[in-house]
Amino acid sequence: RRAEELESAVRDELAGMFATDGCGFPQAGDGAAVLAEQKADAERLRSRLRAIDRRLESYVDAASRGRITRDKMRNLSVQAAADRLATEDALESVERRVDEHINAAERTRAREQSVAHLLDGWGTLPFEQRQATLRDVIARIQVNDDGVTVVLRP
């Protein structure tokens, strides 16, 4: 195939992948709902940590007032501390997932902006800039007898 035909086929494939109504690349699922659920989980875990802290304070207060023995306070505190560590680990995991989700959304948004800029200025962009943008956005291009398949970077 000629270079012009391949270039045109890649452009057409990109344009076909990119929604012309401004919605960007098709996405599976509702990312906003997933993010909201993860943030709600994080807030629930923070609330649980505050409850554990209040429980620990009540044990210390009860022991200082003589309502429970120091040994009983120590046993209850160890149990509460174990609960707190488990909750902190779960919170860290949820916060990491939230950050990963936000970073993935930012990467997707940046990729969509690059492709939109590339498609809008395809004929006017210098070859070097067009090539650099294509390298940033596309993982590989497969050329076969049936046409061209463009595989985007994650």
Side-chain angles (χ1 to χ4, degrees), residues 11 18 112-125:
R11 184 189 185 291
F18 192 75
E112 288 174 354
Q113 289 174 348
S114 293
V115 170
H117 176 69
L118 179 67
L119 292 174
D120 288 344
W122 189 276
T124 59
L125 288 175

Side-chain angles (χ1 to χ4, degrees), residues 9-45:
V10 168
R11 184 189 185 291
D12 292 345
E13 180 76 12
L14 268 178
M17 293 171 74
F18 192 75
T20 56
D21 60 0
C23 293
F25 294 109
Q27 301 292 319
D30 185 359
V34 170
L35 183 60
E37 182 179 328
Q38 290 173 344
K39 286 183 176 181
D41 285 346
E43 187 52 41
R44 181 184 53 80
L45 290 168

Side-chain angles (χ1 to χ4, degrees), residues 53-114:
D53 289 343
R54 285 191 303 273
R55 193 170 64 187
L56 282 169
E57 288 175 11
S58 73
Y59 296 156
V60 171
D61 185 51
S64 69
R65 294 176 190 263
R67 290 188 294 219
I68 61 172
T69 65
R70 289 184 185 264
D71 288 336
K72 177 80 171 171
M73 182 201 69
R74 191 174 303 118
N75 291 337
L76 291 171
S77 296
V78 167
Q79 194 175 31
D83 288 347
R84 182 168 177 71
L85 286 174
T87 304
E88 285 174 347
D89 288 344
L91 178 60
E92 182 180 323
S93 176
V94 168
E95 287 175 339
R96 186 174 47 253
R97 284 195 311 267
V98 167
D99 289 343
E100 289 170 357
H101 186 84
I102 289 171
N103 290 339
E106 289 172 358
R107 281 192 309 272
T108 299
R109 208 171 12 261
R111 182 178 60 209
E112 288 174 354
Q113 289 174 348
S114 293

